[in-house]
């Protein structure tokens, strides 16, 4: 967790520098505008991750007797809504430009007494914008899986989208230089589609988590493999019982209905997967037959 926090602080620092560099050379390019907005959005996942971790460490208190584990789920929802909303806005903007056949231009600027095409500076800025997300995104993936952290995993996906945006942006700018008026808006639309797809996927998972849905696999809407193994193990140990699992942030809460436990349960021993990940099973509760609604 400490390593993930340090990485997210580096992520924020590099993202701020990228936003500043990109903002200095925006011009009239639709691709540059879309890429700049996406890079700015890239600040949301690491910021909400760091805030959520601070709350999660507080533990239970009088006002929140079950602790702050769900803050992680709320942070995930915030990141997902931001991705979806802004992605749809940028997609609408790009499609509108294509339909109205608006011709963007990239003018020349005076630099140290010489006039150069602004597109060269845009390409240089996009090239710089590719490098940090490519490295940080790859470093985040194994940490997200080890911590079962949806926000961190979403951030790694966001970084992947950012460096792909940089590559698409370079193509769009070169297209403008070659006189292809549609290349700029087409590249922006392609980038926007990626943002919307990532945001929609994250929104579905975040919503399911907040309404006590069955635990989902990290980064997708399918069932979690470890949760499936846990259900089968509990069903074998308590035949005929109704087994229910829900996810609270990175943790799993299990409920066995219609059974009275015959002995104290060892949560680590019950965990069916890697023993190093047994921390995911945070609670096991029982509802005896005579207490079922």
């Amino acid at each position: 967790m400490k390593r993930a926090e340090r990485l997210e602080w580096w992520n924020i620092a590099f993202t701020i520098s990228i936003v500043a560099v990109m903002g200095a050379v925006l011009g009239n390019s639709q691709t540059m505008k879309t890429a700049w907005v996406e890079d700015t959005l890239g600040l949301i996942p690491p910021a909400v991750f760091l805030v959520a971790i601070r709350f999660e460490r507080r533990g239970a208190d009088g006002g929140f007797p079950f602790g702050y584990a769900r803050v992680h789920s709320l942070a995930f929802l915030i990141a997902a809504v931001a991705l979806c909303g802004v992605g749809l806005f940028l997609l609408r903007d790009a499609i509108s430009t294509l339909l109205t056949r608006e011709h963007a231009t990239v003018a020349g600027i005076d630099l140290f007494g010489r006039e150069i095409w602004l597109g060269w500076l845009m390409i240089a800025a996009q090239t710089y914008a590719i490098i940090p997300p490519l490295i940080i995104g790859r470093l985040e993936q194994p940490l997200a899986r080890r911590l079962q952290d949806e926000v961190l995993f979403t951030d790694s996906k966001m970084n992947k989208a950012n460096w792909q945006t940089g590559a698409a942006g370079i193509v769009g700018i070169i297209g403008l230089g070659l006189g292809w008026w549609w290349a700029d808006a087409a590249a922006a639309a392609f980038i926007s589609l990626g943002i919307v797809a990532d945001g929609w996927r994250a929104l579905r998972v975040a919503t399911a988590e907040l309404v006590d849905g069955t635990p989902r696999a990290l980064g997708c809407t399918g069932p979690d493999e470890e949760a499936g193994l846990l259900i089968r193990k509990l069903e074998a140990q308590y035949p005929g019982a109704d087994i229910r699992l829900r996810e609270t942030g990175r943790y799993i809460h299990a409920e066995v209905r219609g059974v009275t436990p015959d002995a104290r349960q060892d949560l680590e021993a019950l965990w069916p997967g890697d023993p190093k990940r047994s921390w995911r099973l945070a609670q096991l509760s029982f509802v005896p037959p005579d207490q079922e609604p």
Side-chain angles (χ1 to χ4, degrees):
M1 185 66 76
K2 287 289 187 182
R3 185 180 175 188
E5 287 181 275
R6 286 194 299 269
L7 189 60
E8 290 302 74
W9 280 115
W10 278 109
N11 192 10
I12 289 174
F14 275 117
T15 302
I16 290 173
S17 72
I18 289 170
V19 169
V21 170
M22 295 280 285
V25 294
L26 275 180
N28 295 321
S29 169
Q30 186 75 26
T31 302
M32 289 295 292
K33 174 186 173 183
T34 306
W36 181 80
V37 172
E38 185 182 23
D39 289 329
T40 305
L41 273 177
L43 289 169
I44 295 177
V48 295
F49 170 82
L50 292 170
V51 171
I53 291 303
R54 289 181 66 88
F55 275 94
E56 191 176 323
R57 286 192 175 125
R58 289 186 180 183
D61 55 36
F64 295 88
F66 293 98
Y68 293 86
R70 277 192 186 273
V71 171
H72 177 271
S73 303
L74 180 61
F76 184 32
L77 181 66
I78 292 171
V81 169
L83 283 175
C84 273
V86 179
L88 288 171
F89 169 78
L90 295 173
L91 181 61
R92 182 200 64 83
D93 213 17
I95 291 175
S96 175
T97 301
L98 287 171
L99 291 177
T100 57
R101 300 176 65 86
E102 182 180 331
H103 288 54
T105 58
V106 179
I109 63 168
D110 183 73
L111 187 65
F112 303 118
R114 298 183 61 182
E115 185 174 344
I116 66 169
W117 184 49
L118 182 59
W120 294 121
L121 296 181
M122 291 179 175
I123 291 172
Q126 289 280 26
T127 302
Y128 170 64
I130 289 174
I131 299 171
L134 180 62
I135 297 172
I136 292 175
R138 289 182 177 275
L139 293 175
E140 285 174 328
Q141 287 271 341
L143 287 173
R145 296 186 187 282
R146 185 171 180 181
L147 295 170
Q148 195 66 23
D149 198 294
E150 287 284 4
V151 180
L152 194 61
F153 192 79
T154 300
D155 193 26
S156 72
K157 291 291 186 181
M158 187 76 175
N159 278 307
K160 180 181 178 181
N162 284 344
W163 72 257
Q164 290 177 341
T165 295
I170 291 173
V171 173
I173 294 165
I174 292 174
L176 276 182
L178 294 173
W180 302 339
W181 67 269
W182 48 266
D184 186 52
F190 173 76
I191 295 166
S192 303
L193 283 172
I195 299 174
V196 173
D198 286 340
W200 176 245
R201 189 182 304 110
L203 186 59
R204 289 178 62 189
V205 177
T207 304
E209 189 173 313
L210 283 171
V211 296
D212 288 339
T214 302
R216 265 59 172 180
L218 191 66
C220 66
T221 57
D224 183 271
E225 183 180 352
E226 290 178 324
L229 292 173
L230 179 60
I231 289 175
R232 288 193 288 274
K233 185 168 184 177
L234 289 172
E235 285 176 340
Q237 186 166 341
Y238 302 102
D242 179 18
I243 310 298
R244 302 181 184 183
L245 302 186
R246 62 182 174 89
E247 199 166 29
T248 303
R250 70 187 81 254
Y251 304 101
I252 290 177
H253 291 247
E255 186 177 276
V256 181
R257 304 178 70 89
V259 169
T260 302
D262 52 1
R264 181 179 178 85
Q265 302 298 312
D266 184 348
L267 297 187
E268 290 188 9
L270 277 175
W271 184 251
D274 184 352
K276 293 181 180 179
R277 291 176 59 81
S278 62
W279 54 267
R280 284 197 70 196
L281 181 56
Q283 185 183 56
L284 175 66
S285 57
F286 292 84
V287 179
D290 57 342
Q291 294 183 14
E292 286 192 284

